[in-house]
Amino acid sequence: MHNPTYLACKEFGYNFLAPMLSRYISALDEKKGNYLPVCLAREGWLLKQIIHDLQKNNLINLPHPPVYLKVSRTLLFRALLGHASLFSIALKNSYEGNLSSLFNSRFGLQNYEIEKIIPKPMLKMPVSLPEDTNSLIDLLTPYLSKFEALAAPTLNSVRNYFKSVGISDAAEPLLLDVGYSGTIQKLITLILERDTSGFYFIATKPGVSKVGSNNVSMQGVLKENVALGDGYHLLDRSLFIECLLTAPHGQVADIREQSDGSFQFIYGRKAATQRQFQNLNAVHEGALDGVIYSLKNNIQYTTEEIEDLYYTFLKSRNAIPHTLWHLFSADDDISGNGIVNPLDLFGI
């Protein structure tokens, strides 16, 4: 006999997550080509489990088994410090704070690492992004070679990690994630120096673009050509999806290759979802059951049905079981906001 909390969490996963996941997985199953499904951390944690179980039960037919890739913007920003084109990517999203805190939160650098490169008086300089992006790039460019030297161990470990999981060669990586602008995909492309494709719930700028000398292709299943703040509910309040599609580990902050060829991951702090993962795991169980039922019975969900369901659940806090409220917690350190609760953030 399961306890009421477990049952409430599982039922919510079945009703809230399963329809959008079913639509996404069905679209993936229809995708042609010899691609390697690469589930990006941390939202890809559940995606990998679902794909694995569906393949095992012959409910989908993908060209290769999925890979779970432990990456984050913070890790890849750190790895690419010193790369000429990094700052134009890494400094475009909003941030309020000083230069020191920016390097702490967005690039995962410790104070002693920053102080070896940037003069201390500069580190207290206030930063407001994206307004200060161009001036900040000009300010930091003279330090590129020092940043590159600092980043070398991380970049080398990331490259070897990518090789170890098989995304450096063979089939083209198809990166699976919630979305939206493909920042992680672009960073991975810079490191791999090969073409990549992204298969997202939502893609703000779909199609093919250039990153370095390689092509980056992006596709959105539920919606394309929509930006944050346009009023599209699934995107503007996508933080709820990200809270539930997460892994038991925190954000990957750094990686080190060990002498035996294994990799040690350094994680950031845990949000409530990581500390209470047994409850989130019940949500995931319900989502998996719902996806399996949909595919076995050929139940198809339209985008409009998924949008209506999402809006209904998030219209009132009472539409979400009280036992799940604590799961809506996410780290937004990359923007300088720390741990955020979307229920409070959006006044639900």
Side-chain angles (χ1 to χ4, degrees), residues 222-235:
L222 298 176
K223 193 77 169 177
E224 295 182 332
N225 294 304
V226 62
L228 194 65
D230 282 354
Y232 185 63
H233 211 61
L234 270 173
L235 177 57

Side-chain angles (χ1 to χ4, degrees), residues 1 15 36 49 71 77 101 105 109 114 125 143 165 170 199 214-215 231 240 271 303 325 328 339:
M1 181 74 69
N15 293 323
L36 174 66
Q49 291 182 66
V71 289
F77 285 160
S101 65
S105 58
L109 299 187
I114 309 167
M125 184 183 77
Y143 303 98
V165 297
F199 195 76
N214 295 103
N215 290 326
F240 288 93
T303 297
W325 289 1
F328 293 104
I339 300 292

Side-chain angles (χ1 to χ4, degrees), residues 59-72:
L59 290 171
I60 58 171
N61 182 27
L62 305 186
H64 298 279
V67 170
Y68 179 64
L69 194 67
K70 285 186 179 179
V71 289
S72 68

Side-chain angles (χ1 to χ4, degrees), residues 8 23 81 125 131 160 173 197 209 213 215 243 296:
R23 172 74 191 282
L81 272 170
M125 184 183 77
E131 295 83 0
N160 289 336
S197 295
S209 59
S213 57
N215 290 326
C243 285
K296 275 186 174 178

Side-chain angles (χ1 to χ4, degrees), residues 36-38 40 67 69 71 158-159 161-173 175 188 192 194-196:
L36 174 66
V38 180
L40 298 180
V67 170
L69 194 67
V71 289
V158 168
R159 281 179 172 148
Y161 170 55
F162 285 179
K163 287 177 187 173
S164 76
V165 297
I167 70 166
S168 296
D169 45 29
E172 180 178 308
L175 308 180
I188 289 173
L192 289 177
R194 67 178 304 200
D195 296 349
T196 64

